[in-house]
Amino acid sequence: MVTGAGNTLDNVVVYISAGAPDEKSAPSQAVTFEQHNCRYTPHVLAMQVNQELKVVNSDQTSHNIHPLAKVNREWNKSQPPGTPPLSEKFDKEEFIPVKCNVHPWMRGYFAVLKTSHYAISAGDGKFTLPNLPPGKYTLTAWHEDYGTNTADVTITGSETKDVDFTFKAKAY
């Protein structure tokens, strides 16, 4: 987990879980998950259902990418150095842990969402969900270790709302 000043959290996925219609089609632009310096970058990657995922190996060593999907199809592919990016899609909403079977410290997550209204918090814990039309929404915040929190928000115009989520540490 990555924390910032005042115990803010990095890598929290914040998204509209109710109040906005599900997207009918995925964006045409792919999202990229990179294997670089024996780490997955970004650590948490959000995308829409059926959006193309490209996996790039920027290292001079072989890797493998193994999304441990429960709802979507699980797959496990090796990627030697210098090979073209792998291309995949997920057709259902799910938070998916990802591992490299070659380098066990390499861990990441895919957040596959039905909405285009999502963000991932930065090290200062901040996030923005721009261009929300007026309406009542439920925001959900998901963290790999702390689970989920929700908050109801009403947007009446083009105002900015501050929403704070508080996660509780789990006992060992």
Side-chain angles (χ1 to χ4, degrees), residues 13 15 68-69 93-97 109-113 142 148:
V13 179
Y15 62 101
L68 300 164
E93 186 175 43
E94 182 177 9
F95 287 85
I96 305 171
Y109 291 87
F110 295 149
V112 184
L113 304 167
W142 173 91
T148 59

Side-chain angles (χ1 to χ4, degrees), residues 27-162:
S28 59
Q29 183 177 358
V31 294
T32 301
F33 200 56
E34 184 179 12
Q35 299 170 109
H36 182 68
N37 292 330
C38 287
R39 293 182 62 192
Y40 288 134
T41 304
H43 178 67
V44 177
L45 179 66
M47 68 192 84
Q48 285 180 239
V49 167
N50 289 318
Q51 185 172 10
E52 183 181 14
L53 163 68
K54 291 208 177 273
V55 181
V56 176
N57 183 357
S58 298
D59 286 336
Q60 295 302 310
T61 187
S62 289
H63 288 294
N64 105 308
I65 182 161
H66 186 179
L68 300 164
K70 302 282 186 209
V71 177
N72 288 281
R73 177 182 58 85
E74 183 178 352
W75 48 272
N76 186 357
K77 295 183 178 181
S78 64
Q79 194 172 31
T83 57
L86 300 173
S87 178
E88 287 287 340
K89 292 182 181 182
F90 297 99
D91 60 359
K92 296 173 190 74
E93 186 175 43
E94 182 177 9
F95 287 85
I96 305 171
V98 182
K99 70 177 186 174
C100 174
N101 294 352
V102 178
H103 305 101
W105 61 86
M106 290 179 66
R107 300 252 178 214
Y109 291 87
F110 295 149
V112 184
L113 304 167
K114 294 187 286 188
T115 180
S116 62
H117 300 289
Y118 59 81
I120 299 177
S121 68
D124 62 3
K126 296 190 183 299
F127 63 91
T128 59
L129 297 174
N131 305 317
L132 278 176
K136 293 182 178 184
Y137 301 101
T138 300
L139 292 178
T140 297
W142 173 91
H143 186 269
E144 65 190 85
D145 288 325
Y146 296 134
T148 59
N149 275 326
T150 60
D152 292 325
V153 175
T154 300
I155 304 293
T156 58
S158 60
E159 77 273 17
T160 300
K161 299 271 186 176
D162 288 333

